[in-house]
Amino acid sequence: DSGVTQTPKHLITATGQRVTLRCSPRSGDLSVYWYQQSLDQGLQFLIHYYNGEERAKGNILERFSAQQFPDLHSELNLSSLELGDSALYFCASSSGTSRKGGAGELFFGEGSRLTVL
Amino acid sequence: SQKIEQNSEALNIQEGKTATLTCNYTNYSPAYLQWYRQDPGRGPVFLLLIRENEKEKRKERLKVTFDTTLKQSLFHITASQPADSATYLCALEFSGGYQKVTFGTGTKLQVIP
């Protein structure tokens, strides 16, 4: 058990819909990362938050947005869903402590499997 | 743009042998390089981290080397066991303080009894 909790574990929805994925990081970790993993793309970095502040952005679509709340949990919002958005979405947390310091070891949740029909 | 390549999609090896996986990168000045293990349908699990000023790191049967001149990391599993069968991912974090950790596509290792 990594200590990172993701909900829901599975989600089936239709094209055009909107979903919210939730992540609770390990106790004490200030950094949260979101990744998308599909069969043909590997693990794609989406976005990183540190203590509520967006730190880095990857190839995140404009239809996707995220935020990290004061209690450090994070949400990834996916809207106007398309078939190609079907994937495993992982959240990871780390204790990376400063802007100049490394991220360190990432602790991953078990993922949210999104199926868009 | 940054590119991370892992030597092959799949690697089959006999039990007891040493498995060697390769991670090559371009257009990077990585400050840190990490290796993760991922089992089907599960989240990746951290194995080892090596810094740009380190040449080698060991942990039990695992060894990682990091050659910033060749832009390459090698990941070795000695005395491999069927339980080592999984996908192994390398991940790079480049210097600049942005803490963006980028993963390679992984190598699926199968250890044959």
Side-chain angles (χ1 to χ4, degrees):
Chain A
D1 182 8
S2 67
V4 177
T5 304
Q6 288 189 248
T7 56
K9 287 187 170 27
H10 301 276
L11 193 54
I12 300 173
T13 189
T15 54
Q17 295 298 304
R18 173 191 170 95
V19 298
T20 296
L21 309 180
R22 183 188 167 101
C23 170
S24 294
R26 282 190 330 153
S27 177
D29 283 354
L30 300 178
S31 274
V32 168
Y33 299 77
W34 285 99
Y35 289 87
Q36 178 193 56
Q37 188 172 44
S38 50
L39 282 172
D40 57 346
Q41 292 290 325
L43 204 59
Q44 298 292 309
F45 171 77
L46 295 178
I47 199 161
H48 166 223
Y49 279 87
Y50 175 77
N51 201 21
E53 177 186 334
E54 182 186 304
R55 277 290 174 83
K57 228 170 183 176
N59 297 324
I60 187 168
L61 300 172
E62 284 191 14
R63 300 183 286 108
F64 295 1
S65 65
Q67 54 183 327
Q68 186 180 26
F69 295 86
D71 68 353
L72 301 177
H73 92 271
S74 178
E75 291 181 358
L76 179 67
N77 299 296
L78 315 175
S79 62
S80 303
L81 285 168
E82 301 175 0
L83 296 177
D85 297 328
S86 296
L88 256 176
Y89 290 85
F90 285 106
C91 166
S93 74
S94 82
S95 59
T97 56
S98 69
R99 183 172 288 278
K100 290 186 178 179
E105 174 182 353
L106 300 189
F107 294 86
F108 281 81
E110 290 301 315
S112 292
R113 182 174 293 281
L114 173 67
T115 302
V116 182
L117 301 176
Chain B
S1 64
Q2 299 89 359
K3 194 174 180 183
I4 305 170
E5 289 180 341
Q6 296 193 237
N7 57 325
S8 59
E9 285 189 11
L11 179 66
N12 294 328
I13 193 164
Q14 209 68 34
E15 183 177 2
K17 300 292 186 185
T18 297
T20 298
L21 285 65
T22 305
C23 176
N24 295 296
Y25 58 91
T26 59
N27 300 330
Y28 257 103
S29 295
Y32 308 92
L33 189 147
Q34 304 183 38
W35 283 89
Y36 288 77
R37 169 186 173 135
Q38 186 175 26
D39 291 289
R42 308 295 301 275
V45 175
F46 171 81
L47 296 173
L48 282 166
L49 179 150
I50 189 165
R51 293 174 171 75
E52 60 181 334
N53 60 351
E54 297 177 318
K55 296 291 186 188
E56 184 179 298
K57 207 79 170 280
R58 290 176 186 260
K59 179 183 175 183
E60 297 172 353
R61 295 185 296 113
L62 308 180
K63 184 176 88 171
V64 171
T65 62
F66 193 8
D67 189 326
T68 54
T69 302
L70 290 178
K71 296 187 185 297
Q72 181 182 80
S73 173
L74 298 179
F75 177 77
H76 306 274
I77 305 175
T78 58
S80 58
Q81 305 165 0
D84 295 326
S85 299
T87 295
Y88 290 86
L89 305 165
C90 70
L92 272 67
E93 181 184 357
F94 62 89
S95 54
Y98 296 112
Q99 298 185 355
K100 175 182 172 182
V101 183
T102 304
F103 283 79
T105 50
T107 296
K108 187 173 181 179
L109 175 68
Q110 184 78 27
V111 180
I112 303 163

